[in-house]
């Protein structure tokens, strides 16, 4: 508030600070539904996928264990983060045989569109477009299309990932010394025993008052 002083002109009578609105948007916000343990069981492939937020909070990191009749079991390390040079989410993957892949992620309705490219351990070049669609909180529909290996088209795939349910918890009450299960009910409080009544007080005759023979 400004006030005008005849001698000094306009002066500040009072002021207040207004907090600036934050414009920060977490670039990984749409990835958080991917956190957790996922399983996939198909006719020709099985996969276990685990993803969690890194200690820095800048990446989703995890592992995928994939099993197929032809290739056996293979572990792949996964890292998903924000690429500031392209202003978009990107992922990187490295399998235990020496192959690797990467690609940008584009947010779409109820999911993500991923354009992946990579190189196998044998030097073959791969590419695919993958669409991840969330069906509720516990299911992901994974469509992999436009798949090529060394320029040769590969069949499309449709996979379904289901969140692994938490392990059940058990509680057990062991037997006591008698062999019977321990009671969970509190024991009744003990009633204090009543003190015995005091005997009536008697006065012994002194030697001065004893009868003489």
């Amino acid at each position: 508030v400004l006030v005008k002083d005849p001698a000094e002109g306009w002066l500040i009578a009072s002021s207040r600070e207004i907090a600036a609105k934050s414009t920060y948007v977490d670039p990984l916000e749409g990835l958080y539904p991917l956190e957790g343990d996922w399983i996939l069981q198909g006719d020709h492939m099985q996969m276990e996928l685990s993803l969690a937020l890194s200690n820095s909070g800048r990446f989703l990191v995890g592992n995928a264990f994939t099993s197929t009749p032809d290739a056996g079991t293979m572990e792949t390390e996964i890292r998903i983060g924000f690429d500031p040079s392209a202003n978009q989410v990107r992922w990187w993957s490295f399998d235990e045989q020496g192959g690797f892949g990467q690609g940008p992620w584009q947010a779409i309705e109820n999911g993500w569109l991923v354009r992946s490219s990579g190189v196998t351990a044998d030097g073959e070049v791969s590419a695919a477009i993958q669409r991840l669609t969330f069906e509720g909180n516990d299911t992901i529909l994974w469509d992999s299309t436009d798949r090529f290996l060394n320029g040769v088209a590969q069949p499309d795939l449709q996979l379904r990932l289901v969140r692994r349910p938490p392990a059940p918890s058990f509680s057990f009450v062991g037997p006591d010394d008698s062999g019977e299960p321990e009671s969970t009910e509190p024991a009744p409080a003990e009633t204090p025993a009543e003190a015995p009544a005091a005997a009536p007080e008697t006065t012994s005759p002194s030697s001065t008052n004893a009868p003489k023979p």
Side-chain angles (χ1 to χ4, degrees):
V1 177
L2 298 176
V3 295
K4 189 174 183 180
D5 183 92
E8 300 184 16
W10 291 98
L11 301 176
I12 298 176
S14 64
S15 64
R16 60 174 179 156
E17 293 184 0
I18 300 177
K21 294 183 179 179
S22 174
T23 58
Y24 174 76
V25 177
D26 186 354
L28 303 185
E29 183 178 2
L31 296 173
Y32 295 147
L34 290 170
E35 287 188 86
D37 298 324
W38 303 85
I39 55 176
L40 178 152
Q41 291 187 344
D43 295 335
H44 303 289
M45 185 174 68
Q46 296 183 356
M47 183 171 66
E48 297 183 2
L49 172 66
S50 296
L51 291 171
L53 193 65
S54 66
N55 293 334
S56 68
R58 300 296 184 181
F59 297 93
L60 276 185
V61 295
N63 299 78
F65 294 88
T66 307
S67 299
T68 61
D70 297 333
T73 302
M74 182 170 62
E75 179 182 1
T76 301
E77 298 179 8
I78 298 172
R79 183 174 290 264
I80 311 172
F82 182 71
D83 179 0
S85 67
N87 196 34
Q88 62 184 170
V89 174
R90 182 176 295 273
W91 81 329
W92 300 264
S93 63
F94 307 89
D95 67 54
E96 63 180 337
Q97 296 180 356
F100 59 90
Q102 61 86 35
W105 287 46
Q106 176 186 348
I108 59 175
E109 185 178 2
N110 295 328
W112 292 88
L113 185 69
V114 185
R115 302 179 185 274
S116 298
S117 61
V119 178
T120 69
D122 297 326
E124 297 174 313
V125 178
S126 64
I129 296 177
Q130 304 178 70
R131 183 186 295 267
L132 306 179
T133 305
F134 297 110
E135 296 183 341
N137 297 325
D138 300 323
T139 304
I140 300 174
L141 187 63
W142 184 346
D143 288 300
S144 184
T145 61
D146 298 301
R147 301 172 64 241
F148 291 90
L149 183 63
N150 265 356
V152 179
Q154 305 294 310
D156 294 344
L157 292 175
Q158 186 176 80
L159 310 172
R160 191 178 298 273
L161 290 167
V162 178
R163 190 182 298 276
R164 184 190 296 277
S169 59
F170 297 94
S171 60
F172 175 74
V173 179
D176 57 18
D177 294 339
S178 64
E180 295 295 329
E182 252 180 50
S183 173
T184 57
E185 297 181 1
E190 293 185 3
T191 303
E194 294 184 2
E201 184 177 349
T202 57
T203 305
S204 300
S206 63
S207 57
T208 57
N209 294 327
K212 298 182 179 180

